[in-house]
Amino acid sequence: MGTRRIFFNRLAIDAQIGILDHERGATQPLHVDAEIDLEGVDMPAHDGIQEVLDYRRLRECIIDECTRTHVNLIETLCDRLAARLLAQFPEIRDVRLRVAKPQAFADCAAVGIEVTASRGQGI
């Protein structure tokens, strides 16, 4: 048994996020990077999807949490997303998330927040 990491690089999501007037009632792009560590995983014996955590389910969870409602702070969104992943998928040991707003400032590629959370230790 070992550790397996599932990762997403720059998952692009249109979300309702922000405290400024122009951000309310509109969507803006977010980029989500996620590293999800699974513990106690075995090599798939039969090369079947039922033997692993299907990363499509993780992607759906991330998109759903980021798009289900308006959130004022990117910090709040990161914390909610980390908590939901740990609650919904018991095979996850650790999660590291980076959520970035690429259009926040004209003079940088993106600004964002990174959080890490572990089972039993919270965010």
Side-chain angles (χ1 to χ4, degrees):
M1 287 217 245
T3 300
R4 180 170 289 133
R5 176 173 290 162
I6 298 172
F7 66 91
F8 295 89
N9 287 332
R10 280 191 59 168
L11 176 58
I13 300 170
D14 286 325
Q16 294 183 31
I17 190 164
I19 60 168
L20 303 176
D21 287 341
H22 73 273
E23 294 175 312
R24 296 193 172 276
T27 62
Q28 63 180 300
L30 294 180
H31 292 159
V32 177
D33 294 330
E35 293 181 1
I36 299 163
D37 290 341
L38 312 175
E39 190 169 11
V41 294
D42 291 319
M43 185 173 168
H46 305 292
D47 196 28
I49 192 67
Q50 69 280 3
E51 298 175 276
V52 297
L53 177 55
D54 187 344
Y55 53 76
R56 294 174 297 184
R57 292 178 52 216
L58 294 169
R59 179 182 170 273
E60 289 170 6
C61 178
I62 293 168
I63 292 170
D64 181 65
E65 189 61 36
C66 291
T67 60
R68 64 185 189 90
T69 188
H70 179 91
V71 178
N72 287 333
L73 302 175
I74 200 166
E75 291 87 345
T76 301
L77 179 61
C78 281
D79 292 345
R80 287 180 184 173
L81 181 54
R84 179 169 172 185
L85 286 165
L86 287 169
Q88 190 168 332
F89 299 97
E91 44 285 70
I92 293 176
R93 183 191 70 198
D94 302 299
V95 62
R96 178 177 157 189
L97 300 169
R98 291 175 59 114
V99 179
K101 294 170 73 172
Q103 295 180 349
F105 300 113
D107 60 353
C108 66
V111 63
I113 299 295
E114 181 175 303
V115 298
T116 58
S118 298
R119 183 157 310 285
Q121 294 191 5
I123 299 168

